[in-house]
Amino acid sequence: MLSGLVIVDKPQGWTSHDVVGRMRRIAGTRKVGHAGTLDPMATGVLVVGINKATRLLTYIVGTSKTYTATIRLGESTVTDDAEGEVTATRTTTGITEDAIRTGVAALTGEIQQVPSSVSAIKVNGERAYARVRSGEEVKLAARPVTIHRFEVHEIRRVRAGEAAGEAVDVDVTVECSSGTYIRALARDLGEALSVGGHLTALRRTQVGPYTLDQAHTLEELAEKLDVLEMSDAARGLMPNRELSEAETTEISFGRRIAAGTDAGTPDAATADKPAAAFAPDGTLVALLADAGSYAKPVLVFAPDNEKHGNAKQGNGKQAGQ
């Protein structure tokens, strides 16, 4: 059974669910999920898991992400991006490069961010965007996110909208924690400058250790399915632990072994941030968490264990930002 990760270069106009559907047909399996939703307008890295590798997706969702984007200052939209109706236009005549860079600096580091009202966040069991589309005014609570890098590359004045007013486009790179909304950054930068703002372009270039250099278009994948094998995927994603033959046997049946060398330190493996454990032949056996003097399996992948019907199962859920 083919299992592994596929790094997709998502095309513009496709939802992440659309990509999963296409990958199911390409891979010939129903068991496909993704790690972190991209809006239809956005392009770039979408990590897709196939079969057993869907169990790794939970640990990819929380990794940091990097984007290139264009922010338009002078126009606000209902969705905080170019897909929504323009709700206000304001003059940008007095906006200087120094003011823009000061506004960007204020949005760098640990901040409290209010997600876009048309996000997929659930409000009383219903997606926020569905409530907005039905005419409801939705206000979401601020939550902490970390903007590791917010770099300005180019600032240029452009003619925008039917009124041909002057706006300012700002090309940026953003490296951020999971859960960050780049269109909310565009909105907040515009509001800080009192001119409004929205996102006109967004491309995700990296998710955790997986980069755009590894990504393939759906057309390329239909021609040749390039799968990052599970052992290789796990090696690049989390701390590694090499097992002996005896430890491999114990773990493959869900039993405990001695804790890793980092046990009792801040780097110790946990259920949320486990270590990938490998058999002597390099096969991914399990994900381990340290507990006192022992390490116990969080997930077991060993084929011998699965033959006996005792493998621990992950949730394999499709996760989204």
Side-chain angles (χ1 to χ4, degrees):
M1 181 173 62
L2 178 67
S3 294
L5 299 181
V6 179
I7 316 304
V8 179
D9 185 351
K10 188 189 85 66
Q12 189 171 30
W14 285 55
T15 66
S16 299
H17 183 71
D18 291 337
V19 173
V20 167
R22 180 69 175 119
M23 284 305 306
R24 283 174 174 154
R25 294 191 291 275
I26 291 173
T29 178
R30 293 290 302 171
K31 197 170 184 181
V32 177
H34 68 79
T37 300
L38 273 178
D39 291 333
M41 186 190 84
T43 65
V45 175
L46 184 68
V47 181
V48 173
I50 296 175
N51 291 321
K52 292 181 185 179
T54 56
R55 295 151 74 180
L56 293 177
L57 296 179
T58 297
Y59 306 100
I60 300 172
V61 171
T63 60
S64 63
K65 300 171 177 65
T66 304
Y67 301 84
T68 57
T70 299
I71 297 169
R72 176 156 294 176
L73 300 174
E75 289 183 342
S76 301
T77 72
V78 69
T79 57
D80 300 325
D81 63 22
E83 294 194 324
E85 179 183 353
V86 174
T87 57
T89 59
R90 285 175 269 186
T91 180
T92 59
T93 303
I95 299 301
T96 65
E97 179 176 340
D98 284 347
I100 292 171
R101 292 186 180 277
T102 297
V104 165
L107 290 169
T108 304
E110 296 181 359
I111 65 172
Q112 292 288 324
Q113 184 183 71
V114 177
S116 171
S117 61
V118 292
S119 70
I121 293 173
K122 286 188 176 181
V123 179
N124 296 327
E126 187 177 6
R127 302 290 184 186
Y129 63 75
R131 290 179 174 271
V132 171
R133 288 172 183 168
S134 66
E136 183 179 340
E137 183 178 352
V138 174
K139 292 185 178 181
L140 299 174
R143 57 186 186 176
V145 298
T146 302
I147 311 302
H148 303 291
R149 178 164 64 107
F150 195 170
E151 183 178 353
V152 175
H153 299 295
E154 184 179 353
I155 299 170
R156 58 189 179 277
R157 294 193 174 272
V158 297
R159 308 297 288 181
E162 295 180 0
E166 189 176 68
V168 174
D169 278 0
V170 185
D171 295 334
V172 301
T173 293
V174 178
E175 181 183 349
C176 56
S177 63
S178 176
T180 301
Y181 286 84
I182 309 303
R183 52 197 163 124
L185 285 179
R187 175 202 66 203
D188 292 345
L189 178 61
E191 289 307 309
L193 296 168
S194 301
V195 297
H198 70 280
L199 205 62
T200 62
L202 182 65
R203 184 160 177 77
R204 189 155 69 190
T205 59
Q206 187 165 355
V207 175
Y210 311 116
T211 68
L212 203 53
D213 291 339
Q214 300 168 273
H216 298 278
T217 66
L218 291 169
E219 290 78 12
E220 290 170 340
L221 292 167
E223 290 290 326
K224 181 182 179 181
L225 182 56
D226 187 3
V227 179
L228 182 62
E229 195 272 330
M230 278 184 56
S231 295
D232 293 335
R235 281 192 183 277
L237 179 64
M238 54 189 66
N240 298 170
R241 179 169 175 182
E242 306 299 330
L243 303 180
S244 66
E245 290 285 1
E247 289 173 328
T248 298
T249 299
E250 292 299 293
I251 286 297
S252 68
F253 285 94
R255 295 193 280 263
R256 301 183 303 177
I257 60 174
T261 56
D262 290 329
T265 75
D267 296 325
T270 66
D272 291 334
K273 296 182 178 180
F278 299 92
D281 65 359
T283 302
L284 177 64
V285 177
L287 304 184
L288 302 181
D290 291 321
S293 60
Y294 294 98
K296 59 182 180 180
V298 177
L299 288 175
V300 176
F301 298 96
D304 287 346
N305 179 277
E306 291 183 352
K307 288 176 183 177
H308 288 81
N310 292 322
K312 295 195 175 197
Q313 297 297 315
N315 56 25
K317 67 181 179 181
Q318 296 179 18
Q321 178 176 319

